[in-house]
Amino acid sequence: MSAKKKGLFIVFEGGDGAGKSTQAARLAAWLSSEGYHVHTTFQPGDTAIGAKIREVVLNGDIELCPRAEALLYCVDKAQHIFEVVHPCLDKEMIVICDRYVDSTIAYQGSGKTLTHEEVEHIAWWTVNHLVPDLTVLMDVPVSQGLTRKEWLDDTDESELEFHERVRDYFLGLASTGPGKYLVVNGRDPKDEVTAQVREAVTKLIAGGHHVLEKDPA
């Protein structure tokens, strides 16, 4: 019998405005109330190096070529796994991360000029093939997500097509990974989405394949 895995790694993915951050925070609060030790984090930017990279790729005025942009996101991931995720998992914590490898592949690969095969190879190598125990895919139509972010009025047709490709790639990934993905309709009421996520995580914990730190009852 194989040894139980320390900690639990849960990732929230989805397009812009899908509600990832809200549901990640709700899950973390509930798990903490149940006595579990939880760490919430995000990519890119949740390390000192990552914050600098985030400024360059998301808010900077430097025009990056697609390969440079993809590699910067991967540098962020490598440091994040080393500095944040692995140490928490080793402490038998539940790590909840807003965006991970799927986002890098969807946005830098399928969404832009690089192929998803190119980005997939380097991205998974970067994180030493650490696969989440559960990926919650928050799915909403592109127009609704961009409206939530108040970006729709400033988005041209080519940008909309880009976000549609990203959404299609997320859904394609989820369809090929049964048991590792929970796809939820981001248009559903928040409380209904929260209940679906809790149910999936409860089943995951009940499976008994993880060693989790929990406060004494």
Side-chain angles (χ1 to χ4, degrees), residues 4-51:
K4 291 184 178 180
K5 179 179 177 181
K6 286 187 177 181
L8 188 64
F9 188 29
I10 301 171
V11 169
F12 282 78
E13 291 281 17
D16 295 295
K20 301 181 307 302
S21 300
T22 297
Q23 291 300 328
R26 285 186 169 205
L27 177 62
W30 172 67
L31 287 169
S32 295
S33 73
E34 293 292 307
Y36 293 101
H37 293 191
V38 182
H39 183 83
T40 57
T41 185
F42 62 91
Q43 293 183 356
D46 199 18
T47 62
I49 293 173

Side-chain angles (χ1 to χ4, degrees), residues 134-210:
L134 176 67
T135 297
V136 179
L137 175 57
M138 302 286 298
D139 181 53
V140 296
V142 168
S143 59
Q144 182 173 338
L146 296 183
T147 298
R148 288 177 177 177
K149 300 289 288 189
E150 299 181 351
W151 291 350
L152 192 58
D153 291 342
D154 300 323
T155 305
D156 60 24
E157 185 173 346
S158 63
E159 189 73 6
L160 287 172
E161 291 174 353
F162 163 74
H163 286 284
E164 290 287 1
R165 291 196 301 274
V166 168
R167 183 192 182 198
D168 288 344
Y169 186 75
F170 277 132
L171 291 171
L173 276 176
S175 69
T176 60
K180 289 290 185 178
Y181 285 85
L182 170 68
V183 181
V184 296
N185 188 342
R187 292 170 291 180
D188 288 342
K190 291 180 181 178
D191 289 346
E192 290 185 16
V193 174
T194 297
Q196 292 178 56
V197 174
R198 285 186 184 181
E199 180 181 4
V201 173
T202 298
K203 290 180 180 178
L204 190 60
I205 293 173
H209 301 303
H210 300 82

Side-chain angles (χ1 to χ4, degrees), residues 38-111:
V38 182
H39 183 83
T40 57
T41 185
F42 62 91
Q43 293 183 356
D46 199 18
T47 62
I49 293 173
K52 295 180 184 296
I53 292 173
R54 184 182 181 92
E55 181 66 24
V56 170
V57 297
L58 296 181
N59 304 314
D61 56 3
I62 301 173
E63 184 177 355
L64 296 168
C65 74
R67 290 180 184 274
E69 184 177 77
L71 287 171
L72 282 173
Y73 277 114
C74 286
V75 170
D76 168 82
K77 281 176 167 47
Q79 187 65 21
H80 183 247
I81 292 298
F82 170 76
E83 186 177 326
V84 179
V85 177
H86 268 312
C88 289
L89 293 178
D90 287 342
K91 294 176 184 176
E92 301 173 5
M93 300 177 71
I94 298 176
V95 179
I96 300 174
C97 190
D98 186 340
R99 293 203 183 283
Y100 188 51
V101 169
D102 288 358
S103 279
T104 299
I105 303 170
Y107 281 87
Q108 311 312 311
S110 292

